[in-house]
Amino acid sequence: MSDESFEPKIVAFLCNWCTYTGADLAGTSRIQYPPNVRIIRLMCSGSVDPTYVLKALLDGADGVLIGGCHPGDCHYQSGNYKARRRIIALKEIVKQAGLDEERVWLRWVSASEGQRFADVVTQMVGALKEKGPNPLRQEWAV
Amino acid sequence: MMSEKSKPRIGVYVCHCGTNIAATVDVEAVAEYAQNLPGVVQARHYTYMCSDPGQTLIKEDCRALGLNRVVVASCSPRMHEPTFRAAAQEGGVNSYRTEMANIREQCSWVHHDKEAATRKAKVLVASAVAKVTHLEPLEEREAGVHPGTLVIGGGVAGLSAALDVAEAGFPAYIVEKSDRLGGHVAELGHTFPDLEPTADWLAPLIRRVEEHPAITVMLDAQVEEVAGFVGNFEVTVLQGGQAQQIDVGTIVIATGYQLFDPSRKPEFGYGRYPGVLTTWELEQRLATGDLVVAGRAPQDVAFIKCVGSRDIQLGNPYCSRVCCMVAAKQAQMVRQALPETRVTVFYIDVRAFGKRGEEFYDEAREAGVRYRRGNVSEVYRRGERLVLRVEDTFLRRTVEHETDMVVLAVGMEPRDDTGVISALLKLPRSADGFFLEAHPKLGPVDTTTNGVFLAGCCQAPKDIPDTVAQAKAAASSALIPLIRGTVPVISETAIVDAELCAGCGMCVDVCPYGAPALDPLWGVSRINAVLCKGCGACAVTCPSKAICLQQFTPEQIMAQVDVLTV
Ligand code: FES
């Protein structure tokens, strides 16, 4: 996109057991990734309320990442399956609201996948740079 | 007690973590920034918040300034949340009114750019402050413990761990995949650094385990499933096609290693020339006294060290820690068996650490074993004999060495089934593929899963004394919950606002643990706090928003989103 200096803002909702721990492992392994992501720890991807994602987008986040355990690995048995269904529905709502549903990413990253966590963030930052800022952020900027 | 709605009085503590954080994040600037956040009474920075003086700082502030909430910006909450919760509690602040900003794992360790890292650290602190503002005090809760420890693996590590657990008076269950106990060590004729016959000490160890009334040994068995949590693990073990459930409080993983397969280094001719053996095969030959190659006793034997270890191209950059001593042992034994035979050890470095290691290396040289520093690049055949092409790193030239027997000192690798156990117990692995300990220094036997401990070579290559030491450490850690008899259970359960509940029962359907039930009289949902595991599924599902997960309420999370999106 046009603006070279654009640094996307990503809010990430990560489950405590897999993706949050995977992000910790990226840290202990000193794997570098762009600083654009800010993490909110939740217990399970199945407890990500769609309203959290919508609020983040409406508040101007350029992207929202939801991270959970791989299918079958949820610490609470099935939270990630619930998350998967919910996020599909949510993306529909995001689209209907005239927003870009591809600003919402759902990814499975296990506790042992520090490198994968870093890769996901790096890819997401790249994709969002392509897209440019969340239009809501621009409109609301004063 | 303070009122629940008491006005926030927050203390913020920014940790340098030595230079781990401070080298990348301007901790002073972060503390200064935090000082001006709403509700913050005091913001400080300090070298090690988790140290005694660091914790004292928090406790004293809590009392002196009448704080009612604490934010610590340091490492991951998975590392030190219990530490800081306890510190806050001692200072008179409810331990659940603490929040951590993870500015090490999520910031200083993953970003180089100091400015960006400092900016991010500020935002993470602001997010933690926003959340802590809305946190409510909670009570501590406890659950009972199944007395007993599951030990996965029946090698020296598993045997030692099981024995200590049993000696302390608790049942231990050894689940061993093969049909015998003793692991790899049972295949060793002698052990370094004293050339003691292995059976002299291993056989009595195995006998003590087999005869111990508190130990159950399951051979040809494997762990199929693990449910539950520390204190209350329900383990399904498969033995002879039959599944049985064992309830234990803690688990020790002692699954060991596998030997490096030298056919992955084709240049050494393993599998091609009968005169090329592994240290493992030579061990068997030494036991039977059969050292004959190509129809006669070898006149020359050459050892090649670091086969499959310290090899970046193979993806095994680590040292296997035993091969130097194994080679020193076997070289001496070959000299004893065949005093006329020339024995040369080709090495990159000699690592003779550990008690009596250096002396043992000296003894090998006194016994006439020659040590030559050099990288062996190839082994090939010349007539009846084998030739090593060696880059002599002292002489700085390539030399040839004719020999009859080549012994490859093969290293250790993580077992192929490490991934299976790692998936069962949700254990991370380090870059080398071995299980990752919770902390390299302070938690070398702990894992990120509470109640699960590591012993022996499944964590990293090590020799027998180190393995036994770690196994005993793992056993003593595994005993803590068993001896206490209770484990703390989460206080962060879901709660229902009966005023808002419409009694639709969706929470009942969605909960995997059967915690919510509709009250037959009032028709509203009630959540059994003992059964609730705090996943939050019901809270998201509830159409009336009558349920919230304590410590993760919409109000708290929205407050974080607010801060993170500015
Ligand atoms: S705990 Fe990770 S997705 Fe449920």
Side-chain angles (χ1 to χ4, degrees), chain A residues 14-19 42-47 67-70 73-81 83 108-109, chain B residues 535:
Chain A
L14 307 186
C15 91
N16 178 59
W17 304 99
C18 283
T19 315
L42 296 176
M43 292 315 282
C44 175
S45 67
S47 65
C69 314
H70 285 274
D73 285 352
C74 171
H75 191 76
Y76 307 102
Q77 300 175 14
S78 53
N80 47 7
Y81 293 114
W108 312 133
V109 178
Chain B
C535 70

Side-chain angles (χ1 to χ4, degrees), chain B residues 491-505:
Chain B
S491 302
E492 301 93 325
T493 53
I495 45 171
V496 184
D497 182 342
E499 294 282 308
L500 293 177
C501 176
C504 70

Side-chain angles (χ1 to χ4, degrees), chain B residues 189-272:
Chain B
H190 295 76
T191 44
F192 63 79
D194 31 41
L195 302 181
E196 198 185 5
T198 309
D200 284 5
W201 58 267
L202 183 62
L205 174 65
I206 292 178
R207 203 175 324 116
R208 278 181 71 199
V209 165
E210 284 174 340
E211 287 170 0
H212 204 295
I215 301 180
T216 309
V217 176
M218 292 187 254
L219 300 176
D220 291 312
Q222 69 194 74
V223 175
E224 187 70 6
E225 217 188 300
V226 180
F229 55 98
V230 54
N232 294 273
F233 288 112
E234 292 160 11
V235 184
T236 313
V237 176
L238 208 61
Q239 190 183 24
Q242 220 142 348
Q244 55 172 308
Q245 191 184 313
I246 305 173
D247 293 342
V248 291
T250 48
I251 298 176
V252 173
I253 307 199
T255 47
Y257 61 98
Q258 69 189 30
L259 288 165
F260 175 74
D261 171 9
S263 53
R264 281 166 61 199
K265 297 282 284 180
E267 61 271 33
F268 292 153
Y270 180 78
R272 201 154 14 116

